[in-house]
Amino acid sequence: MFLYLLKRLLVALCVCLAVSLLSFGLMFLVGDPAIAIAGSGGSAKDAEAVRIAYGFDRPFLVQYFDWIGRVLTGDLGQSIYFHIPVTEIIGARIPVTLKLGFLSFAVALLIALPLGILAALKPNGLIDRLALLLAVTGQAVPSFWLGLMAIVVFGVWYGWVPISGADEWQGYILPVLVLAYSAMPAMMRITRSGMIDVLGADYIRTAYAKGLPVWRVIAGHALRNAILPLVSLAAVQLGVLLSGSIVIESVFALNGLGRLAWESLLRADMPVVQAIILILSLIYVILTTLGDLVNAWLDPRIRGGRS
């Protein structure tokens, strides 16, 4: 297990290094950052002064290593638009994105896991067809359209919940449900598929032959093996929910990282965009690595049969 852990951490470290390099390169994607900082009214002399002050005249790799050194100390630079540290801006916005992502993930998992198990127990039955309908509609319906319809029906017509903002906990109800509905189909279908494969195994038939109750066979024997693909997918889905909520945050006017990224792109505030991409990418890498480690702990075959 130690060797597998070491190998997986080395892979994650290489991915983080590549992500940091790409994130740093974003600063130069829109052109000369010195001109962007100097502003539209700045002269060539002003841009040159900014270039020297910020060190943009140095070689790319020198700038990168200087930047990554500051990032490791918690310094993500300064916003071009707001002229304040990027950490302050992100620190004020990231709680909304984390709440939205984790709540959506929890709701999606709580629905997808039991629904996938029930669908696998009776394939082509009523519950299975209902689960298939939910999966198809969840993947086919655009999340922005579903969010707008939810606002119109539950916020405007009936007035049950707020239609925007997150000043109260009720403001999270609609965005969480809409975001969870888009993440639920994949988890539900992979749970169903895994359970169908496992329920046909010999050791499951042996467990039934011993007279064990259905719930014990499912919870104690089948689910442990069937859940392995779900662990990996769940880690990916959580990363997607955290990093891909820009549409939902815009529809429901939530001041999270997704909306901040969109606003920063419109303002050409690349240090903020750079930091957001770096943070969300690192979260994604950490989650997928944890998913692999959990799978290795559940199934020794993944780590080569070593404990």
Side-chain angles (χ1 to χ4, degrees), residues 238-275:
L238 180 55
V240 170
L241 290 174
L242 291 173
S243 60
S245 59
I246 179 172
V247 174
I248 297 301
E249 289 182 6
S250 299
V251 169
F252 290 96
L254 298 175
N255 291 320
L257 289 185
R259 192 179 182 193
L260 176 63
W262 175 249
E263 294 171 349
S264 300
L265 282 172
L266 295 179
R267 298 165 179 158
D269 197 350
M270 296 313 295
V272 177
V273 178
Q274 183 183 60

Side-chain angles (χ1 to χ4, degrees), residues 146-232:
L146 186 61
L148 292 174
M149 291 301 100
I151 289 174
V152 171
V153 175
F154 301 108
V156 178
W157 290 356
Y158 294 101
W160 291 345
V161 290
I163 62 176
S164 64
D167 296 331
E168 301 177 351
W169 66 269
Q170 293 91 338
Y172 282 98
I173 294 178
L174 288 183
V176 164
L177 291 178
V178 171
L179 198 57
Y181 189 58
S182 64
M184 181 188 65
M187 292 192 288
M188 186 270 296
R189 295 180 68 176
I190 202 167
T191 301
R192 175 189 179 276
S193 177
M195 285 296 296
I196 289 177
D197 292 339
V198 171
L199 289 175
D202 292 337
Y203 70 93
I204 296 296
R205 287 193 289 267
T206 302
Y208 278 124
K210 290 180 179 179
L212 295 178
V214 175
W215 67 268
R216 188 173 177 183
V217 173
I218 294 173
H221 295 77
L223 191 58
R224 180 183 176 90
N225 292 315
I227 206 175
L228 292 177
L230 179 62
V231 172
S232 299

Side-chain angles (χ1 to χ4, degrees), residues 22-86:
L22 291 174
S23 299
F24 179 72
L26 285 175
M27 177 67 76
F28 305 90
L29 186 64
V30 294
D32 191 344
I35 297 177
I37 295 175
S40 57
S43 63
K45 187 176 180 180
D46 295 331
E48 183 63 24
V50 170
R51 188 176 294 108
I52 296 174
Y54 281 81
F56 294 139
D57 57 333
R58 297 175 298 170
F60 179 83
L61 287 180
V62 174
Q63 295 184 54
Y64 167 73
F65 284 114
D66 179 62
W67 173 77
I68 200 67
R70 287 186 281 108
V71 167
L72 292 176
T73 62
D75 182 7
L76 297 175
Q78 190 174 36
S79 167
I80 297 175
Y81 184 83
F82 293 105
H83 302 289
I84 60 175
V86 174

Side-chain angles (χ1 to χ4, degrees), residues 70 279 286:
R70 287 186 281 108
I279 291 173
I286 292 171

